[in-house]
Amino acid sequence: MNHTLGRWVALMLLCGALFFPPVGRGAQDEKVSLNFVSADIEEVVKAVSHITGRNFVVDPRVKGVINIVSSTPVPASLAYDILLSALRLQGFAVVESGGVTKVMPEADAKLHIGAISDTHNTDDKLVTRVYVLKYESAAQLVPVLRPLIAPNNIVTAYPNNNTLVITDYASNLKRIEQIMESIDQPSAEAPIVIPVKHASAMDIAQTISRLMQDGAAIPGGDASSRFVLMADARTNNLLLRADNPARIARARDLAEKLDIETGAPGNMHVVYLKNAEAVKMAQTLRAVMSGDVSVPGAPAVAGAPAAPVGGGMVQADAASNALIITAPNAVYNNLRAVMEMLDVRRAQVFVEALVVEVTADKAAEFGIQWQALSGINDTRAQVIGGTNFGAQGANGGNIISAIGTGATANIGTTLGQGLNVGIVKGTTAIPGIGTVLNLGMLARFLENDANANILSTPNLLTLDNEEAKIIIGQNVPFITGSYAQTGNTATASPFQTIERKDVGLTLRIKPQVSQGGSVKLQIYQEVSSVQDQTINNAAGVITNKRSLESNVLVDEGQIIVLGGLIQDSVSNSEDRVPVLGSLPLLGNLFRHETRRHTKTNLMVFIRPYVLRTASSSQGLTQDRYEYLRGEEGRSQLPSRALLPDMPAPQIQPLELKQELPLPSPPAAAKP
């Protein structure tokens, strides 16, 4: 019933509007009464179209009813604005394009805006504007503005020129503009430059920082107490940044009071080094002051420092790792700037080497041997003999030499390895030896297949430009000489000289880190082992050695191959009876053949990691530590019902301490 009544009201209003000319036709000051109760949106749009003279296009998805009540007549020019407000409350928006006013859902309206709108727009009209920020970051301002914009509308940052693109209602954009104007202001935390004329900027920075770093050194301290003071060694100026104007004024006052000429003779300074070595630093500074390039490489002479040009003296105190400098202010400031650039944390290099060796050895043997010993006990002239290839137990078994073992000998040892098939014709009594097996024929088949896969991964950590070495193996004695002196005694007195050498895995490196991210490495790597068969050798043991020495250039974190060996060898040996062994087919009965195929693949790889901060070193340490804990956990003995539990020792989890600010060294004493 209400819907029908609303349609009647709309029709009556439309009829009444016929008596008034449209706004666009010169009736801007005419007034109309807008009263719609549960009126259909399309009917209201038709009425406003007639009043304003606008052409509307309504999206089919725009459905529903709206309520507009005006207690007093309103100017006809406001009818369009009132319609926009009513549509906005229903989730619909209006877009003007090409002389046509489109009514559509708010979510799609932003895709139909023709051009960037100017500042003169109806409050409830959907517009797009571009804002260029001067001081603040556009990308960081997006999360601040997003909750203030309708969910269906957009706000996007373009970082290249630091601009914001916002599509929203004109009334809301006015509020957004006011918020951005308040935020996009010059920062009060801009660094302040304090010139230093007489003293050293580095010394003043350390002194003021110790006095005023109270709230900044405490995590979670008050933001107004944040204080950062740095020294620029090149210009000898102080760089100050603080949130509290009072702290800025206090730091300026302290800097002015400390930046005065000292009246004490000698102008002596004590500088404590953080990372560099005082003795080497003193040699470098003396060379800079005196112009002698040979001083840094020469050994330090205690009590005899070089005499620099322009006056002054530099002496190192190794116990406290400090430098004692006596020089005019101008010379001292220059030296202090050089020290500040040299006294930095040195990078560390973690080198991971991989030695991979894969060996495959395959061998096959086949041979037939004959012998005839049946006539050995006959007193008449008899013929005995046979075919024999190689030594007993090696390649077929020497059955002629094996007859002396007797009938009770271990026939497996006599015949050798592999499959042995023979014909035995009883036993034969041999004078002086005994009764032996009469082995008439022996056929031997043997095939060997040996594979080895060896992987060694030595790791080493060292400072930049410092050599490091790791050895994992045994210290083996090698005989270098022997001497036995009998003299008049019946028992000899043997004497041997030996030399011990390391046998195992050796890695020696010296890295040099460049600013471009590459690492130059001087490498020596060796993998050696003792042959088990030569341990009891009278002449000494034999070792297998694989070594590599090279200088390479590697990018940080990349893996590179240093070298290796790929060897593939095939050998064939054949023993046969002359003439008979050369016969086709029949010759296999009088022949013994051995074939061997050996393939070796050996490669050496290396990968360096540059650790410039303490956190990166801790991360690497924790990674290796947790890996060992995992391997240790998997090596625990399983529980058995009839055996007691014997847990293996287990290391505790690694707890890395957080980096806390270290106390500053005592202030340099002024004479």
Side-chain angles (χ1 to χ4, degrees):
M1 186 66 181
N2 292 336
H3 181 66
T4 304
L5 179 62
R7 296 176 61 89
W8 278 105
V9 173
L11 291 175
M12 291 175 63
L13 179 63
L14 180 60
C15 294
L18 295 176
F19 294 98
F20 300 96
V23 174
R25 298 176 185 176
Q28 296 286 344
D29 54 347
E30 298 293 338
K31 295 185 178 182
V32 295
S33 297
L34 300 177
N35 292 285
F36 298 95
V37 179
S38 299
D40 188 76
I41 293 180
E42 293 184 2
E43 300 298 335
V44 177
V45 171
K46 290 179 182 179
V48 175
S49 175
H50 181 78
I51 295 173
T52 60
R54 293 176 176 266
N55 298 321
F56 285 88
V57 176
V58 182
D59 192 285
R61 294 171 292 178
V62 178
K63 300 293 182 181
V65 295
I66 57 178
N67 297 317
I68 301 176
V69 178
S70 60
S71 59
T72 58
V74 297
S77 58
L78 295 180
Y80 179 63
D81 296 341
I82 295 174
L83 176 63
L84 295 183
S85 301
L87 292 174
R88 178 178 177 182
L89 295 176
Q90 298 295 327
F92 303 114
V94 174
V95 177
E96 297 178 3
S97 176
V100 177
T101 304
K102 302 176 183 179
V103 182
M104 62 186 64
E106 186 182 64
D108 297 337
K110 58 180 175 291
L111 303 177
H112 295 267
I113 298 177
I116 299 176
S117 305
D118 55 16
T119 56
H120 303 287
N121 292 288
T122 304
D123 288 347
D124 292 311
K125 183 180 178 181
L126 202 63
V127 295
T128 298
R129 292 178 187 169
V130 178
Y131 301 94
V132 180
L133 303 182
K134 298 180 180 179
Y135 306 104
E136 295 296 330
S137 171
Q140 295 180 359
L141 202 58
V142 169
V144 179
L145 301 179
R146 178 69 265 183
L148 305 177
I149 298 174
N152 292 328
N153 299 330
I154 61 172
V155 52
T156 306
Y158 185 62
N160 289 351
N161 56 358
N162 199 37
T163 58
L164 284 173
V165 180
I166 304 177
T167 298
D168 202 1
Y169 293 99
S171 59
N172 193 35
L173 287 181
K174 294 178 181 179
R175 181 173 60 125
I176 298 296
E177 292 174 0
Q178 295 177 356
I179 295 175
M180 287 192 298
E181 289 178 0
S182 301
I183 296 178
D184 191 26
Q185 297 291 334
S187 176
E189 300 179 3
I192 299 173
V193 179
I194 303 177
V196 179
K197 299 180 180 179
H198 307 289
S200 170
M202 278 69 71
D203 293 341
I204 293 180
Q206 291 182 3
T207 303
I208 297 178
S209 296
R210 284 194 296 267
L211 290 174
M212 303 185 64
Q213 284 281 12
D214 45 9
I218 303 175
D222 185 10
S224 62
S225 62
R226 293 175 186 171
F227 180 84
V228 178
L229 181 64
M230 299 177 59
D232 181 29
R234 187 182 66 88
T235 60
N236 198 42
N237 291 332
L238 295 175
L239 303 179
L240 173 62
R241 182 172 182 176
D243 297 333
N244 192 333
R247 296 174 65 85
I248 296 177
R250 194 184 312 167
R252 282 181 176 274
D253 183 63
L254 288 174
E256 292 177 358
K257 293 180 179 178
L258 294 176
D259 185 24
I260 58 175
E261 294 184 0
T262 176
N267 200 12
M268 186 177 296
H269 305 269
V270 177
V271 182
Y272 293 89
L273 302 181
K274 300 177 181 178
N275 302 284
E277 186 177 347
V279 176
K280 294 182 179 180
M281 179 71 75
Q283 297 176 17
T284 303
L285 295 181
R286 293 174 194 148
V288 171
M289 297 171 66
S290 63
D292 185 3
V293 296
S294 63
V295 174
V301 180
V309 177
M313 181 188 68
V314 179
Q315 184 63 31
D317 181 28
S320 59
N321 197 39
L323 293 177
I324 304 173
I325 302 177
T326 303
N329 288 335
V331 177
Y332 172 73
N333 291 337
N334 292 333
L335 293 179
R336 195 68 174 85
V338 174
M339 293 167 54
E340 191 71 17
M341 290 183 284
L342 296 179
D343 187 24
V344 295
R345 180 187 178 93
R346 296 177 59 184
Q348 299 185 96
V349 180
F350 178 79
V351 177
E352 183 179 38
L354 294 91
V355 183
V356 185
E357 181 177 356
V358 180
T359 304
D361 190 354
K362 297 182 179 181
E365 299 181 18
F366 170 73
I368 298 178
Q369 303 182 59
W370 304 88
Q371 76 173 4
L373 301 175
S374 58
I376 198 171
N377 293 324
D378 199 330
T379 57
R380 295 174 299 174
Q382 299 290 333
V383 177
I384 65 172
T387 60
N388 299 277
F389 306 107
Q392 171 187 350
N395 49 350
N398 191 334
I399 57 179
I400 289 294
S401 63
I403 60 176
T405 60
T408 59
N410 187 342
I411 191 171
T413 306
T414 304
L415 299 180
Q417 298 178 349
L419 176 62
N420 296 269
V421 180
I423 300 176
V424 179
K425 298 179 180 180
T427 60
T428 301
I430 301 178
I433 297 179
T435 302
V436 299
L437 292 173
N438 188 2
L439 185 61
M441 187 272 291
L442 175 65
R444 180 170 183 266
F445 306 86
L446 176 63
E447 184 175 350
N448 292 329
D449 190 354
N451 297 313
N453 187 354
I454 303 174
L455 175 63
S456 303
T457 57
N459 302 326
L460 198 57
L461 178 66
T462 182
L463 279 174
D464 183 21
N465 277 324
E466 296 291 342
E467 183 176 301
K469 180 179 180 182
I470 183 174
I471 299 177
I472 303 173
Q474 296 176 326
N475 194 259
V476 180
F478 291 85
I479 300 176
T480 58
S482 62
Y483 178 73
Q485 180 180 6
T486 57
N488 297 328
T489 60
T491 304
S493 300
F495 177 80
Q496 290 182 338
T497 59
I498 63 173
E499 179 183 0
R500 291 189 171 272
K501 295 183 179 180
D502 295 326
V503 176
L505 190 147
T506 302
L507 175 63
R508 185 172 67 245
I509 61 170
K510 184 178 181 180
Q512 182 180 359
V513 181
S514 65
Q515 293 297 327
S518 59
V519 183
K520 182 181 178 182
L521 294 170
Q522 298 180 10
I523 307 169
Y524 176 78
Q525 187 163 2
E526 177 183 316
V527 179
S528 57
S529 60
V530 177
Q531 289 188 0
D532 297 337
Q533 300 86 348
T534 63
I535 293 179
N536 298 322
N537 192 357
V541 298
I542 299 177
T543 59
N544 301 319
K545 181 179 179 180
R546 299 170 178 84
S547 64
L548 183 145
E549 186 172 3
S550 178
N551 296 330
V552 295
L553 188 66
V554 191
D555 290 337
E556 178 183 349
Q558 300 298 320
I559 188 169
I560 189 174
V561 60
L562 298 179
L565 169 68
I566 300 177
Q567 185 178 20
D568 197 348
S569 62
V570 178
S571 62
N572 182 42
S573 63
E574 184 179 288
D575 297 334
R576 62 185 176 183
V577 177
V579 181
L580 295 177
S582 301
L583 297 176
L585 299 179
L586 187 61
N588 293 326
L589 301 176
F590 302 95
R591 185 166 56 214
H592 182 274
E593 186 175 357
T594 301
R595 293 183 178 181
R596 181 176 296 275
H597 182 197
T598 303
K599 188 173 184 179
T600 302
N601 294 306
L602 174 65
M603 287 293 165
V604 180
F605 302 88
I606 199 164
R607 175 165 50 188
Y609 296 95
V610 180
L611 310 177
R612 292 184 171 86
T613 61
S615 59
S616 58
S617 302
Q618 290 180 353
L620 178 64
T621 301
Q622 187 173 16
D623 177 71
R624 297 298 188 267
Y625 192 88
E626 294 300 328
Y627 169 77
L628 288 180
R629 290 190 69 244
E631 293 295 322
E632 186 184 53
R634 285 186 287 268
S635 65
Q636 295 291 331
L637 298 176
S639 299
R640 294 290 185 266
L642 301 179
L643 295 175
D645 291 336
M646 295 182 181
Q650 188 173 3
I651 58 178
Q652 299 298 321
L654 181 63
E655 296 181 0
L656 298 177
K657 296 182 179 179
Q658 297 181 352
E659 295 186 20
L660 298 177
L662 300 177
S664 302
K670 298 288 184 178

